[in-house]
Every structure is written in C-alpha cells, then in structure tokens.
Amino acid sequence: ALRKPSISFFISFTFFVISYCLADQFNLDPDYANHTYYADFYYIAGSLCAIWFLMMSKGVLLQVYALLPKIIRELSEFLFRHTFAIFLLHGFAIWVAQEKFGLINPQHKTISYGLIKLCFVLSLTMCIAPMFTKMCSWANGKMFAYINRT
C-alpha cells in the first residue's frame, strides 16, 4: 500500500509540512548541521520527508541512471561494491593525508586546498578498498566455515 504514489506523496508531503511548521513556529535554524548532534523532531521529520521523496522517485532516478555515461555507471558500481570498505577506510585515508603528506592547514581553507585533499583522500580510499573487501570476504568465508564445522 505504501508503494502507491498517492500514499507516498501524502506521507512525504506530511513530513515536509511538519518540518516547515516546526521550523517556522519555533524559529528553528533550517541548517540540518545544527540539529544532528541531538536529533530533534525537526531533523527526524525532515529526514523522513527526504527518504520518502527518494523512495517515491526511485523509478525516475533509475531511468536517469540508465542514461548516464558508461564510465559513471561503472564508477558508481565500483563504489557500491566496496561501500563497506570505503566507509571504514576513509578515516584512515584522511589521517594519512594529514599526518604523512602534510595536507592539514586549518588557516588556509580555500577551495583548491579542499579539492586537493578531497581528491587525495578519495584516490587513496578507492585504491585500498578492493584489497580490504577481498580480505573481509576471505575472513568471512573462514569464519563461516569454522562456524558450520562446529
């Protein structure tokens, strides 16, 4: 029943109205960054609105995805395949960029500095993610083989 566009639209619109009314009524700062530490009802309602909107537009998003150039689709499939490793390793890549390559300069926060650091961290993370994924798959296989043996 929730997959019907009318119901999904109603739910998404309801959460949007709740978020807007809360922000307007209580003079809340609309910047989500100020609501994440203590997730309040404004943050939760707005997040649910965004999730329902994306779920509702899944068909359109998949059609647009099919129209993208092949290199972008292959890059996104690489990222999907190694999501867990990328999630775990990006903190390590930031540490390497800052401590080993000196890409830390809080006084010099420019767009070019940010782009250089971002490209370095993404490149390093994408290089080590496949190895980490294979290592995790190997470890999972050994662990499940041991569990099934006992």
Side-chain angles (χ1 to χ4, degrees):
L2 290 177
R3 291 182 185 229
K4 288 184 178 180
S6 57
I7 294 174
S8 293
F9 178 77
F10 174 75
I11 292 171
S12 180
F13 185 73
T14 302
F15 284 125
F16 174 76
V17 169
I18 290 170
S19 298
Y20 181 79
C21 290
L22 284 172
D24 188 51
Q25 184 69 25
F26 297 108
N27 294 325
L28 295 174
D29 185 6
D31 184 6
Y32 265 32
N34 298 326
H35 297 275
T36 56
Y37 188 70
Y38 295 109
D40 53 9
F41 191 66
Y42 168 74
Y43 177 81
I44 293 170
S47 299
L48 290 174
C49 174
I51 290 168
W52 277 106
F53 178 76
L54 288 173
M55 287 175 57
M56 198 171 68
S57 9
K58 179 179 125 182
V60 175
L61 292 173
L62 289 174
Q63 289 174 352
V64 170
Y65 180 75
L67 297 174
L68 292 175
K70 185 176 181 180
I71 187 134
I72 294 176
R73 289 195 316 264
E74 287 179 0
L75 177 66
S76 66
E77 288 172 13
F78 172 84
L79 295 173
F80 296 153
R81 194 174 321 116
H82 301 290
T83 300
F84 180 68
I86 291 169
F87 171 73
L88 291 177
L89 295 173
H90 80 277
F92 173 71
I94 292 170
W95 177 81
V96 168
Q98 291 177 348
E99 297 298 323
K100 301 300 179 191
F101 290 94
L103 284 175
I104 183 168
N105 191 355
Q107 290 81 22
H108 189 67
K109 291 187 177 178
T110 61
I111 292 175
S112 60
Y113 167 75
L115 288 174
I116 290 169
K117 190 171 181 178
L118 176 70
C119 289
F120 180 83
V121 168
L122 286 176
S123 300
L124 180 62
T125 304
M126 289 175 63
C127 287
I128 59 179
M131 293 180 288
F132 191 79
T133 300
K134 286 182 182 180
M135 188 174 61
C136 287
S137 296
W138 176 81
N140 280 341
K142 294 288 184 183
M143 181 179 64
F144 286 125
Y146 178 75
I147 290 171
N148 290 335
R149 198 171 16 146
T150 58

